[in-house]
Amino acid sequence: MTTFATAAALSLPISFYKSTKLNINKKGIRGRVKIYAVYGEEDSLLDKKSSWSMLFDVEDPRTKAPLSKGKFLDANQALEVARFDIQYCDWRARQDLLTIMLLHEKVVDVLNPLARDYKSIGTVKKELAELQGQLSQAHQQVHISEARVSTALDKLAQMEELVSDRLLQERSTIVESDQTPPSTSSASTQSLDTVKRKKLPRKKLDVSGPVQPFHPNLKNFWYPVAFSADLKEDTMVPIECFEEPWVLFRGKDGKPGCVQDTCAHRACPLSLGSVNEGRIQCPYHGWEYSTDGKCEKMPSTKLLDIKLRALSCFEQEGMIWIWPGDEAPAATIPSLLPPSGFQIHAEIVMELPVEHGLLLDNLLDLAHAPFTHTSTFAKGWSVPSLVKFLTPASDLQGYWDPYPIDMEFRPPCMVLSTIGISKPGKLEGQSTQQCATHLHQLHVCIPSSKDKTRLLYRMSLDFAPILRHIPFMHIVWKHFAEQVLNEDLRLVLGQQERMNNGANIWNMPVSYDKLGVRYRLWRDAIESGAKQLPFSKK
């Protein structure tokens, strides 16, 4: 994959003004670290140690600038240049701040009462006027640096979009090649290449209906299917996963099990029965099964050697996990706990009449919020002139701009998000790090059937712990969650109807669809049996 970009398109203006060096000796750092307060060609600041020195103890990155001027770069090289731009902007901003702080120190020195005793009023006024001019120029430089940071982030986002576009284009090329019969004529081959080149610029994913059966490769993952709190010792939880009915219950040892929700005798649903001494009992003739699926009791007849299908089932961090695939289960189960400092306030389960991929598409998209969620959490949001989702070069997580929301798709069906809470209706202009309080959400979209999804929702807060002890608070959270989902459902159900009639729901993705597009590319790779998955950290 080659991304055509020149170094000129990514280069930033670099100042070569004469610099002032603060020599700071520090253990653990080789040699001296030079701090540059860039300000004018002839003016220099006092050579002094500052109490703020540690903040500016950063190496000048210009010596490590990628040598790429005038060259065509591949994707990795272009992203390396963009990454250097960000490093340079960080270094530049620190120098601007240092310049202002040292100038303020000089103002304090000039206004020192002891110093004024040895200077005339005219001299003090002249020095203050000079410093005022220098401060004004330094503040102007800060604004220039802010503009550079914004430009560098935009360039990085453009590079990421180019990478995603290229993935879409390569996928489109492969599909066209597979559908086009080979030609022995060189002229025909050349003509075909020309057609392909003409078609490449159009970004497109083919997610058209009707909804297809689930691919077996999608089953070979650990799926969280229930919250531990919902599975008591004497209760059971019926679920549907990949078009098959299952039932969860706890054995004599308290550990959960997952068996086929169909009695071996007359196909009666076991979930209509009860749990007795760690065995699930069929309500029809009383046959009882353990968590491994073995029938241990057959009243009124001879006990036969019968065993139901059972899935690998484990409990971890307040959730029940199953492995529905035919391959050997993975040795580790991913952690879905909220970040440190958060407390879980609500765990909600809902059955929704939509295919799980469509629901994931919706959850991975925030650009629709000010248009769709006008009665709930996005009430009062303004419509930004530009919405961006910024990610690392090749990953399934990132953050939204201008909203203070970090988001991640975690295979196979989880969406994690952290939302910075500021004033209601005033989300623009801050990142999650700048917000004092946060809401963390976990959405698990379990593929029940081609037109149904089992949704697990967990909400955590890093503030207001007292809310966990208010009676019936979980009813309030569930009501709010249902309100938000109902705003989405009418749209997603409409998409599903169009999709089943042949429409392509990903016909024209744009820049803010990045995370949803990456999910679809990941899923396509899983279903095609790709050895190397896109956006994989392995």
Side-chain angles (χ1 to χ4, degrees):
M1 178 176 66
T2 304
T3 301
F4 295 100
T6 62
L10 290 168
S11 60
L12 289 173
I14 299 178
S15 173
F16 291 102
Y17 287 139
K18 192 176 293 183
S19 60
T20 297
K21 302 175 182 177
L22 295 181
N23 294 329
I24 305 171
N25 291 323
K26 181 179 176 184
K27 291 182 179 180
I29 297 180
R30 296 178 181 177
R32 289 179 170 178
V33 178
K34 298 178 180 180
I35 304 296
Y36 296 86
V38 178
Y39 186 80
E41 284 192 65
E42 303 299 334
D43 297 323
S44 61
L45 299 172
L46 293 176
D47 213 2
K48 60 188 291 185
K49 285 188 177 182
S50 168
S51 57
W52 315 302
S53 299
M54 295 294 291
L55 177 63
F56 310 103
D57 194 0
V58 177
E59 183 180 1
D60 183 351
R62 290 179 291 185
T63 58
K64 298 181 179 179
L67 300 176
S68 53
K69 187 174 181 180
K71 296 181 179 180
F72 286 102
L73 310 177
D74 63 23
N76 292 330
Q77 291 170 329
L79 287 169
E80 186 63 31
V81 173
R83 197 173 293 115
F84 166 76
D85 282 356
I86 299 296
Q87 292 173 349
Y88 169 76
C89 287
D90 173 73
W91 174 84
R92 176 73 265 167
R94 292 171 189 263
Q95 311 320 310
D96 294 337
L97 179 60
L98 177 60
T99 299
I100 292 173
M101 296 175 80
L102 292 178
L103 283 171
H104 277 290
E105 280 194 354
K106 291 187 71 175
V107 171
V108 172
D109 291 342
V110 170
L111 294 177
N112 190 326
L114 295 177
R116 289 206 304 268
D117 292 343
Y118 301 97
K119 297 178 183 178
S120 65
I121 294 178
T123 301
V124 172
K125 286 183 176 180
K126 181 179 178 181
E127 291 180 353
L128 287 176
E130 291 177 353
L131 289 173
Q132 185 177 7
Q134 293 175 6
L135 277 171
S136 176
Q137 191 174 348
H139 280 287
Q140 185 178 3
Q141 180 63 39
V142 169
H143 292 307
I144 293 173
S145 293
E146 289 176 349
R148 287 174 177 170
V149 170
S150 178
T151 301
L153 288 174
D154 287 342
K155 289 174 181 176
L156 188 58
Q158 291 169 7
M159 290 305 308
E160 292 171 353
E161 187 174 354
L162 284 174
V163 171
S164 294
D165 291 352
R166 180 63 55 158
L167 284 173
L168 287 174
Q169 292 167 3
E170 288 183 343
R171 180 178 177 276
S172 177
T173 303
I174 292 171
V175 171
E176 290 171 7
S177 299
D178 290 343
Q179 295 176 349
T180 305
S183 173
T184 57
S185 167
S186 59
S188 298
T189 303
Q190 184 176 3
S191 175
L192 178 61
D193 292 340
T194 304
V195 170
K196 287 179 182 177
R197 283 197 297 271
K198 289 180 179 179
K199 289 185 177 181
L200 285 181
R202 185 177 183 186
K203 300 178 295 181
K204 183 177 179 180
L205 279 170
D206 185 10
V207 186
S208 54
V211 178
Q212 299 298 313
F214 295 108
H215 196 281
N217 290 347
L218 204 57
K219 298 181 181 181
N220 292 311
F221 291 90
W222 283 108
Y223 284 84
V225 291
F227 292 112
S228 296
D230 294 334
L231 191 63
K232 312 295 186 190
E233 288 186 6
D234 57 348
T235 62
M236 65 194 89
V237 176
I239 64 169
E240 191 176 5
C241 188
F242 291 107
E243 308 276 359
E244 294 186 276
W246 304 92
V247 60
L248 306 170
F249 66 100
R250 294 188 183 275
K252 291 182 180 179
D253 55 3
K255 295 180 180 179
C258 179
V259 301
Q260 187 178 2
D261 191 13
T262 305
C263 183
H265 179 210
R266 301 277 292 276
C268 179
L270 295 175
S271 56
L272 297 178
S274 60
V275 177
N276 298 318
E277 298 179 351
R279 296 188 299 269
I280 189 167
Q281 184 185 69
C282 177
Y284 208 170
H285 296 88
W287 291 21
E288 296 185 7
Y289 302 87
S290 59
T291 54
D292 63 356
K294 184 176 178 57
C295 186
E296 296 186 348
K297 193 173 182 180
M298 293 181 184
S300 308
T301 188
K302 181 182 177 180
L303 182 64
L304 302 177
D305 185 14
I306 293 175
K307 189 173 183 179
L308 295 176
R309 286 181 60 204
L311 300 179
S312 297
C313 183
F314 284 93
E315 186 171 20
Q316 175 178 287
E317 298 173 347
M319 304 187 86
I320 310 297
W321 298 70
I322 64 171
W323 182 278
D326 295 329
E327 294 183 3
T332 58
I333 297 176
S335 174
L336 297 180
L337 284 177
S340 176
F342 284 78
Q343 288 186 324
I344 298 171
H345 283 249
E347 292 181 335
I348 300 167
V349 181
M350 285 178 269
E351 303 289 344
L352 304 176
V354 294
E355 192 267 336
H356 90 293
L358 290 174
L359 187 58
L360 282 168
D361 290 339
N362 175 268
L363 293 171
L364 295 170
D365 168 28
L366 192 66
H368 74 278
F371 303 99
T372 304
H373 300 290
T374 53
S375 299
T376 53
F377 71 90
K379 185 176 183 179
W381 285 21
S382 60
V383 179
S385 58
L386 182 65
V387 176
K388 295 181 288 185
F389 185 78
L390 303 172
T391 68
S394 179
D395 214 338
L396 293 168
Q397 61 181 336
Y399 64 94
W400 289 93
D401 178 19
Y403 304 122
I405 299 177
D406 300 338
M407 187 174 285
E408 174 187 1
F409 167 68
R410 188 170 298 176
C413 63
M414 285 82 82
V415 178
L416 298 91
S417 57
T418 301
I419 304 171
I421 301 175
S422 53
K423 296 179 180 179
K426 301 287 184 181
L427 287 182
E428 296 91 344
Q430 286 188 320
S431 66
T432 52
Q433 290 79 10
Q434 292 173 313
C435 297
T437 54
H438 304 83
L439 162 70
H440 184 268
Q441 296 184 117
L442 166 67
H443 292 85
V444 180
C445 301
I446 303 154
S448 299
S449 67
K450 290 192 294 183
D451 58 359
K452 191 168 70 174
T453 299
R454 178 178 173 85
L455 175 67
L456 305 187
Y457 174 72
R458 175 186 275 171
M459 188 202 72
S460 306
L461 302 173
D462 64 355
F463 64 98
I466 193 173
L467 293 178
R468 300 173 70 234
H469 306 290
I470 297 178
F472 308 112
M473 196 65 196
H474 66 285
I475 298 177
V476 176
W477 294 130
K478 184 174 183 179
H479 174 70
F480 183 75
E482 288 176 345
Q483 277 189 310
V484 174
L485 275 171
N486 284 334
E487 289 177 319
D488 284 319
L489 271 180
R490 66 187 186 93
L491 307 178
V492 180
L493 283 171
Q495 280 184 299
Q496 184 167 266
E497 180 183 355
R498 297 292 187 272
M499 179 180 175
N500 284 330
N501 290 330
N504 182 5
I505 60 167
W506 276 104
N507 189 58
M508 191 60 66
V510 295
S511 59
Y512 55 65
D513 294 321
K514 183 185 299 181
L515 193 53
V517 168
R518 292 189 175 188
Y519 156 66
R520 285 294 178 174
L521 292 174
W522 172 87
R523 182 169 169 178
D524 285 352
I526 288 290
E527 294 179 348
S528 65
K531 294 182 179 179
Q532 180 63 41
L533 297 178
F535 319 113
S536 173
K537 296 181 180 179
K538 294 183 180 180

